[in-house]
Amino acid sequence: MILRSCDAVVSGSCALHLLLPANDTAWFPSDLDIYVSCRFMTCVTVLLEREGYRIVRQHFANPNPYISSSIHSVISFSNMHRSIDVVVSNTAAAISPIFEFHSTAVMNFFTSDTIFCAYPTLTLHLMSMVNAEPIYFGPSECKAMAALQKYSGRGWQLVACQEVHESTGLCRSMPQSIADCSCLWINIANVQCVAVTPRDVFERLGIINLIWLLGGYVCGACDPFMRGQSFLVEDNSLDLLGGGFRRQ
Ligand SMILES: [Zn+2]
């Protein structure tokens, strides 16, 4: 209900747990991470408080021109039994921060009716590629390294792009988009793999597309280094009506 009415998604270990076969996941997700755009921050707070949750901590990301981060703030809620972290993005899309994570293993999310996996050919085989952006430029490089170690402890294999790009048809040196057919979208209500169009993406997430590039060395070389980036293609229809209109 909260996911649908606030255009929110669930990512992190819960999304991964839902995606992987049960015999690959001897661990259980410890907490629930909900991602929401800053436009819906009040909406999600009101709905969680109605469910008996209270805010226990709010952490604002430091504005730093050298760090590209789509995270506006993280609000921690608790109802004494369970805790929920709400990650608020500073863009029009809840999902922007997901494409700045430390590795491809965690670039997954679910909405109220769909599951998304950015790298199914790697993720479903417990393989992942590093996104060097948070390691070199993130607010906490130790945290990103610890997260990578946690995944390797759970049997994940870190692969170099040139080992897998022939079989996956994907190369880290090329930007990717959530509407690419290499991504997996599963409609939970009517289980099937679907190739999505910008129209489908708009219906599910309220944006037209999101394009990202993993940070790190250009595939096969160890000299040119690219900054990781994510770029949102937004719905600008309200601009056509003049400056007086604002969504929300
Ligand atoms: Zn490559």
Side-chain angles (χ1 to χ4, degrees), residues 221-238:
C222 58
D223 204 3
F225 185 94
M226 303 178 291
R227 294 288 305 262
Q229 297 183 39
S230 73
F231 175 76
L232 200 60
V233 185
E234 285 183 50
D235 164 29
N236 293 120
S237 56
L238 290 182

Side-chain angles (χ1 to χ4, degrees), residues 186-230:
I186 300 168
N187 186 331
I188 302 170
N190 169 19
V191 178
Q192 58 180 338
C193 292
V194 282
V196 298
T197 63
R199 197 196 64 169
D200 300 326
V201 172
F202 184 72
E203 275 174 12
R204 282 165 207 184
L205 304 172
I207 56 169
I208 316 292
N209 205 344
L210 184 145
I211 298 159
W212 76 94
L213 181 68
L214 297 178
Y217 291 107
V218 167
C219 174
C222 58
D223 204 3
F225 185 94
M226 303 178 291
R227 294 288 305 262
Q229 297 183 39
S230 73

Side-chain angles (χ1 to χ4, degrees), residues 129 160-166 170-173 218-220:
M129 278 196 291
C161 187
Q162 62 263 43
E163 294 169 28
V164 290
H165 63 194
E166 299 263 340
L170 299 172
C171 184
R172 65 180 303 133
S173 309
V218 167
C219 174

Side-chain angles (χ1 to χ4, degrees), residues 7-71:
D7 272 355
V9 306
V10 171
S11 187
S13 48
C14 280
L16 196 56
H17 203 266
L18 191 65
L19 201 58
L20 292 177
N23 55 1
D24 280 341
T25 44
W27 47 274
F28 289 95
S30 50
D31 42 18
L32 181 63
D33 297 328
I34 296 179
Y35 287 72
V36 69
S37 159
C38 47
R39 296 202 295 227
F40 290 101
M41 189 165 85
T42 312
C43 165
V44 87
T45 303
V46 167
L47 291 177
L48 282 173
E49 285 179 347
R50 203 180 287 168
E51 296 294 319
Y53 285 88
R54 291 286 167 266
I55 296 177
V56 289
R57 202 170 50 245
Q58 187 162 15
H59 175 79
F60 288 91
N62 292 327
N64 181 334
Y66 300 105
I67 294 174
S68 58
S69 170
S70 304
I71 297 180

Side-chain angles (χ1 to χ4, degrees), residues 109-121:
F109 61 82
F110 62 87
T111 70
S112 54
D113 59 6
T114 49
I115 306 175
F116 171 87
C117 174
Y119 294 88
T121 46

